[in-house]
Amino acid sequence: MAHTEQDILAGLAEIVSEETGVDTSEVTADKTFTDDLDVDSLSMMTIAVTAEEKFGAKIPDEEVKNLKTVGDAVNYIKANQAA
Amino acid sequence: MTSPRPTVVVTGLGATTPLGGTAEETWQAALAGRSGAGPLDASWVEDYELPVSFAAHLATPVTEVLKKVETKRLDPFAQYALVAAREAWADAGSPEVDPERLASAVGTGIGGVQTLLSAWESLRTKGARRVYPLSIPMLMPNSAAGTVSLEFGARAGAHTLVSACSSGAESIAYGLHLIREGLVDVVIAGGSEASIHPLPIAGFTQMQALSTRNDSPETASRPYDVDRDGFLLGEGGAILVLESEEHAKARGANIICTLAGAGVSADSYHIAAPEPEGAGASRAMADAVTDAGATAADVCHINAHATSTPVGDVAEVAAIRRAFGAEADHMAISGTKSMTGHLLGAAGALEAVFAAQAVRDRTAPPTINIENLDPAVDLDIVRDAPRDLPSGDLLVLDNSFGFGGHNVALAFGSY
């Protein structure tokens, strides 16, 4: 059962909120993790691993640094989720 | 004659303990003679066959006062330090301090043991990738000092003194020296501990250090009672804001008392047992009084280490007698661990808070649960109810000793 973009965005928002304390409503596709959401590299690792678990999509460490915006992460997860 | 070195004063107190969520709640509960003991998680007792089924947990869970993200990213011991430090800082009037003249000194006995063990569990059951990336900064014993430094912008240094059950007191002694040396104006100093967990409990029970009075947790901690059988494990954090008198006066701070002196020594006798003659402990006490520019005649009250262990309590009594001789007869001795339990690395800091409150309110807190005083105890123990301290200038001692042979005594005086 593939997750839709909305599903993934909502799920990511929850993960980011849990990790950083920002409100879920702040976590929109256009936001950058580093500048807009104050996510440091350690938090980014946590978010990636938690998202892997939640959506069944492998996000290799070398890919994590390419995910600049929340939208990037949504698209990556959507394209790589377990069929 | 004016002293050439700065006078150090206490301008803020904070604590989260088994008796209350603040320093004041804790003090009032102690004056009322309440016990902070309660049941341990029953599944732990069953799953791990723990011989002890009780401990002294925080009265106010940190989840009620910290943001969710703070409880996620900090080990409980750093959380307790943060809660206590925020209270102490506010109590001090949130002073304006040059960041390069502000330090933190927060001791702990074990550090982030809960994080360490849960990360190990994640590794064993789910593999390396599932170990929380903040595990290392959370479990390191300096994370409380670092967290407090980060919170208040303390840039003169973030110090972690680790000396088992004297860590909190030794951190305060260290803060005293930093100010006296003229290196800083203000130190956020104290200790924290969060090791109510099956592993530390199992370790302590294997040393026969904990009371196993499972049928009566609230009376288990009974310093000086002839039937004492070990300590009650507690948790919490306690912080004092230490300040040079000059800095405090310049900003019109409310000065609670002075931190007049400190004495530190080591037994060099055994890694866990106190030296029975109390030579090292008595030296620490005598040094603290001398350092305060006082004599034994000036000491009216001692907040004793008094953990409720068969050997430790009488060793401390011997040390007090050895340090002060006949003068010890007029000192009101209190064992507040009878109520709070033993907060390990936070104990010395919590008892320093009690000592400061005793000076402020001219009251020695009680020692509860003494049914039959051990005949080996020939001192004036404050039993059952608080006692008024005399008028005039007071000098109050706080004793803390730790595995490793550490002895620390702090002297607090009237301002």
Side-chain angles (χ1 to χ4, degrees), chain B residues 220-245:
Chain B
S221 184
R222 46 177 66 212
Y224 309 124
D225 184 85
V226 73
D227 295 319
R228 65 192 181 276
D229 71 331
F231 71 81
L232 156 70
L233 180 62
E235 62 174 356
I239 297 283
L240 284 72
V241 175
L242 307 176
E243 197 163 351
S244 73
E245 180 190 25

Side-chain angles (χ1 to χ4, degrees), chain B residues 285-342:
Chain B
M285 286 181 241
D287 288 354
V289 174
T290 305
D291 189 39
T295 66
D298 300 313
V299 180
C300 62
H301 163 50
I302 301 177
N303 186 305
H305 185 60
T307 59
S308 185
T309 60
V311 179
D313 289 8
V314 289
E316 183 179 13
V317 166
I320 292 170
R321 187 56 80 185
R322 187 179 175 133
F324 303 127
E327 293 286 4
D329 290 337
H330 69 252
M331 299 176 189
I333 314 288
S334 302
T336 47
K337 287 185 182 77
S338 56
M339 301 172 287
T340 64
H342 192 348

Side-chain angles (χ1 to χ4, degrees), chain A residues 18-20 42-43 46 49 52-53 59 61, chain B residues 68-69 72-73 126 129-130 132-134 137:
Chain A
E18 176 87 5
E19 184 60 29
T20 64
L42 287 177
S43 297
T46 309
V49 172
E52 273 187 8
E53 242 177 288
I59 313 174
D61 290 354
Chain B
K68 195 168 164 189
V69 65
K72 186 176 161 69
R73 298 169 70 99
K126 301 177 189 164
R129 198 161 161 73
R130 302 293 282 288
Y132 188 52
L134 284 172

Side-chain angles (χ1 to χ4, degrees), chain B:
Chain B
M1 193 181 104
T2 55
S3 157
R5 59 187 190 189
T7 296
V8 178
V9 297
V10 178
T11 55
L13 303 174
T16 182
T17 75
L19 294 184
T22 65
E24 205 49 38
E25 270 176 38
T26 300
W27 177 237
Q28 292 308 326
L31 294 180
R34 286 219 299 275
S35 165
L40 273 178
D41 186 326
S43 69
W44 287 359
V45 179
E46 204 165 315
D47 294 352
Y48 304 106
E49 298 171 359
L50 297 179
V52 172
S53 63
F54 60 92
H57 296 88
L58 286 191
T60 303
V62 274
T63 44
E64 292 180 20
V65 282
L66 291 176
K67 296 193 196 92
K68 195 168 164 189
V69 65
E70 289 168 330
T71 56
K72 186 176 161 69
R73 298 169 70 99
L74 297 171
D75 183 88
F77 97 100
Q79 296 172 30
Y80 303 170
L82 183 59
V83 170
R86 282 176 178 165
E87 185 200 349
W89 193 250
D91 189 41
S94 306
E96 294 265 323
V97 194
D98 172 358
E100 291 176 14
R101 304 280 301 166
L102 171 65
S104 70
V106 186
T108 185
I110 310 184
V113 64
Q114 295 189 40
T115 297
L116 175 67
L117 295 166
S118 65
W120 171 235
E121 196 59 26
S122 299
L123 179 68
R124 284 192 326 132
T125 57
K126 301 177 189 164
R129 198 161 161 73
R130 302 293 282 288
V131 171
Y132 188 52
L134 284 172
S135 295
I136 298 294
M138 284 169 70
L139 68 84
M140 61 194 194
N142 54 309
S143 75
T147 298
V148 169
S149 154
L150 194 63
E151 172 83 4
F152 302 102
R155 294 196 176 138
H159 308 280
T160 305
L161 285 91
V162 176
S163 54
C165 306
S166 58
S167 304
E170 194 167 14
S171 300
I172 292 163
Y174 190 76
L176 171 76
H177 296 311
L178 285 177
I179 296 171
R180 277 189 184 164
E181 289 291 319
L183 298 170
V184 302
D185 297 318
V186 182
V187 185
I188 303 162
S192 63
E193 202 77 67
S195 54
I196 298 180
H197 177 287
L199 183 68
I201 292 170
F204 281 124
T205 57
Q206 289 297 92
M207 297 177 83
Q208 301 187 324
L210 294 184
S211 168
T212 53
R213 208 175 284 270
N214 292 331
D215 57 346
S216 178
E218 296 197 341
T219 68
S221 184
R222 46 177 66 212
Y224 309 124
D225 184 85
V226 73
D227 295 319
R228 65 192 181 276
D229 71 331
F231 71 81
L232 156 70
L233 180 62
E235 62 174 356
I239 297 283
L240 284 72
V241 175
L242 307 176
E243 197 163 351
S244 73
E245 180 190 25
E246 192 185 2
H247 192 275
K249 277 169 75 173
R251 67 179 185 90
N254 171 44
I255 294 172
I256 298 161
C257 60
T258 64
L259 174 53
V264 176
S265 73
D267 281 348
S268 183
Y269 166 79
H270 185 278
I271 198 65
E275 196 267 302
E277 304 290 306
S282 72
R283 246 184 322 120
M285 286 181 241
D287 288 354
V289 174
T290 305
D291 189 39
T295 66
D298 300 313
V299 180
C300 62
H301 163 50
I302 301 177
N303 186 305
H305 185 60
T307 59
S308 185
T309 60
V311 179
D313 289 8
V314 289
E316 183 179 13
V317 166
I320 292 170
R321 187 56 80 185
R322 187 179 175 133
F324 303 127
E327 293 286 4
D329 290 337
H330 69 252
M331 299 176 189
I333 314 288
S334 302
T336 47
K337 287 185 182 77
S338 56
M339 301 172 287
T340 64
H342 192 348
L343 273 57
L344 309 179
L350 173 56
E351 287 144 25
V353 169
F354 283 152
Q357 290 164 323
V359 172
R360 182 193 66 190
D361 295 352
R362 289 189 184 277
T363 305
T367 312
I368 64 167
N369 299 328
I370 302 175
E371 288 170 39
N372 299 294
L373 188 70
D374 185 329
V377 178
D378 63 345
L379 296 171
D380 179 12
I381 310 296
V382 182
R383 292 169 65 168
D384 304 324
R387 187 187 304 171
D388 290 346
L389 293 172
S391 57
D393 280 350
L394 302 179
L395 194 69
V396 168
L397 285 188
D398 162 30
N399 281 347
S400 295
F401 314 125
F403 288 170
H406 308 276
N407 307 298
V408 180
L410 302 171
F412 294 89
S414 300
Y415 186 80

